[in-house]
Amino acid sequence: MSGEMANEIKLISGRSHPELSEKVAKRLGIEVARTISLNYSNQETSFTVGESVRDEDVFIIQSTATGDVNEGLMELLIAISACRTASARRITAVIPNFPYARQDKKDKSRAPISARLVANMLQTAGANHIVTVDLHASQIQGFFSVPVDNLYAEPSFLRYIRENYKAEDCVIVSPDAGGAKRATSIADHLNTGFALIHKERPRPNVVGRMVLVGNVEDKIAILVDDMADTCGTLCKAASVLKENGAKAVLALVTHGILSGNAIENLNGSVLEALICTNTVPLGDKIERCPKIRAIDISPTIAEAIRRTHNGESVSYLFNHAPV
Amino acid sequence: MRGTLIFSGSSCPALTGKVCENLGMTPADAELTQFSNGETSVRILTSVREKDVFVVQSGSPKINDTIMELLIMISACKGGSASKITAVLPYFPYSRQSKKKSHRGAITARMLANLLGVAGVKHIITVDLHASQMQGFFKCPVDNLHAEPLIARWIRQNVPDWKEAVVVSKNAGGTKRVTSLADALKLNFGMVTTDKKRGNGNMTGSMILNPIDAVLDPIGEQVIEAVESEEIPTSNITQPVAGAASPARRPHGSSLHSAKSLPSRLRSSTLALDGVDEEGEDGLEYNDQRVHEVTQARLVHGHIVPDDFESPAVSTATSVAGDDPMTMSYASLHSQHHAALGGSGDAAESSDEDEEILKDPKVEHMVTLVGDVKNRTVFIVDDMIDKPGSWIAAAETVVKRGLAKKVYCIATHAVFGADCLEQLQDCDSIHHILVTNSYPIPEEKARNATKLHVLDLSYLLAEAIRRNHYGESISPLFQHIME
């Protein structure tokens, strides 16, 4: 949709993560567009764009805060729909933490593939392009018939590890078999060892028995995963690693969802630190848990927006974290 | 019913239970929970393969969660190879956002219609859509059922003197709904409009009492301006009474015209009366066009004026009474009480109602009543009750100014945002509240609301489901049940 006329980036922020939007806007050197978003007394969401988006390149940033997933999603859909109705040239939904990403397969009889439903909903509302970070499963991209840019937090993680630890002291650990690919990729980049914890998971959010495969003795064990929800898995994995002689245990996750009693779990665990990006609003959780450290993902998102707008390649960002 | 499954969303298990009871079945098994991060989880615990699936979901205070749950349930049933999925939405969420209200606002109702289609809905059953045009938002068929026959029947059976009652719309947009009920019951109707924009500064309420069938002289367009000022000599305004319409009008008009020169800070009310209605006695001849013209006139209506203190001088402009006493405007009647048309009488009254004002300072509309409600039972009708303000304003208008005997607030959808029900319960001008169970009303709220009557929609919905399943016509459900 590259027209003759120059159009501009309009950055619209949902209510779920205004801090991230501000940071992205600051990096892009623009202002977040004025919008009015509110809930009526019957809790229906209303969204009005306060300035013209006619023929503009609209980016709507909406993460999903814990507990408000459906609120955030509906607000995003209504915002997209409002921009579509207001004749925006292109609408890109920037969803750092894709909601319902874990409901991506029919793993039981009649289980809903809610991630596909969300994908269809976004397109129905009028999204032309999706930008997200570390999708739980890359296959979710296939649920869309519009382009999806799945950004990686990995370059930011690599830089964090290189800046704070000696790579040769570390061993990268995947807390489950499914995340092995993610962990090995980081281990390859750092040229360090790799281990895997196999777990039996009787029910979602409940952790069963764990077995360590690999050697972590006298090493800094770095658990790598895409999201930390109740942190049950991570905390249990950390103690398994400690029992197996790890010097210290860190966790590196993209999405710090931290719902339920995650903070209590973290505070009571042997985990030294939980390093996560700010794709999900952390709120006061950093104050409540000194173990949480946040990596700012906004440079990556801002650069992806800039490149998307200018029609440049985004693949550079898959291996490099903008400073 | 063979081959049919009815699932209940978490918003309305009670209603679904009743619907199923009517059909002699039990709701199908589904587990509806939330993950700890707030994502909705749905597990359909029974086979839906090649079944005719109905999913019942109403609104709830967590409306967005409710919608997501519905969409995921539909999606799960579709993924489970259901032959047809029908969404039964007694209350259609976001139905008020059905048009582009502001610049760059969203038409959320249309979007929701599309989302339902995307999730896999093949048919929609709903009740009293806020705007029936919304049926056009869907690509699939929509059965928009009406609660009106049920309401009409309840009125016939439970309101003692319903044949003398007047159906009143509390806003201009809902007039169509009101005339429909009025036609069904063969009653007269009236209208109350609340004008938000003009409530600036002085927030003066005004009421026009235009007789439904006022007969006017062929004077073309007569503009009467009433200006809020005590300086208006009220003595020379002849009080228009029944049978004295024509002579009354002249001084009335002229004196008020003279008031035009008064300072502009005083809000003026204009009454434009146009044309003659030869068929004055026929209330049904009172068409929308006519109403529209008449609503330009306003009477200051004290008790919902928040800052009457600051402008104690309020004036009353009246419409002109017709020859038929039955069609005489309320304004005339009212001004008879005060023996003057001017502001003084009204001002006195408004100061009497300071308590009222303090009690409800948020209401800041000008209220305009059209129609004769004196000593009658009034049914104020709309499609939903969400905020109490306009209901209370309308009820107070018809009771305190229109001298109505009893007020029934009637709506299909009892959304009752915040403390709406409590406020309606506490309002002395409201005697009964009649709603349906399309939107779940929390037990603890309903228990304390002695004025509340809840009609059961389950039979209507069950019948719609049954007829849909067997491919029978839905039209009989729209017909009024005559005793």
Side-chain angles (χ1 to χ4, degrees), chain B residues 161 164 372-377 398 402-406:
Chain B
D161 49 354
E164 299 302 311
D372 177 22
V373 297
K374 198 190 179 200
N375 282 332
R376 289 173 187 248
T377 300
V398 294
L403 305 179
K405 206 164 57 176
K406 276 246 155 54

Side-chain angles (χ1 to χ4, degrees), chain B residues 143 463-464 466-468 470-479:
Chain B
D143 290 327
E463 193 58 17
R466 196 188 63 76
R467 282 168 184 268
N468 254 308
Y470 289 115
E472 294 170 23
S473 168
I474 297 284
S475 332
L477 299 181
F478 298 124
Q479 281 160 16

Side-chain angles (χ1 to χ4, degrees), chain A residues 12 17 25 29 31 51 55 75 84 129 133 195 201-202 270 302-303 314 318 322:
Chain A
I12 288 175
H17 204 347
E31 295 276 317
E51 52 194 80
D55 227 11
E75 191 187 54
R84 171 56 64 229
H129 194 128
V133 181
R201 190 197 281 262
V270 294
E303 186 61 16
V314 176
F318 297 158

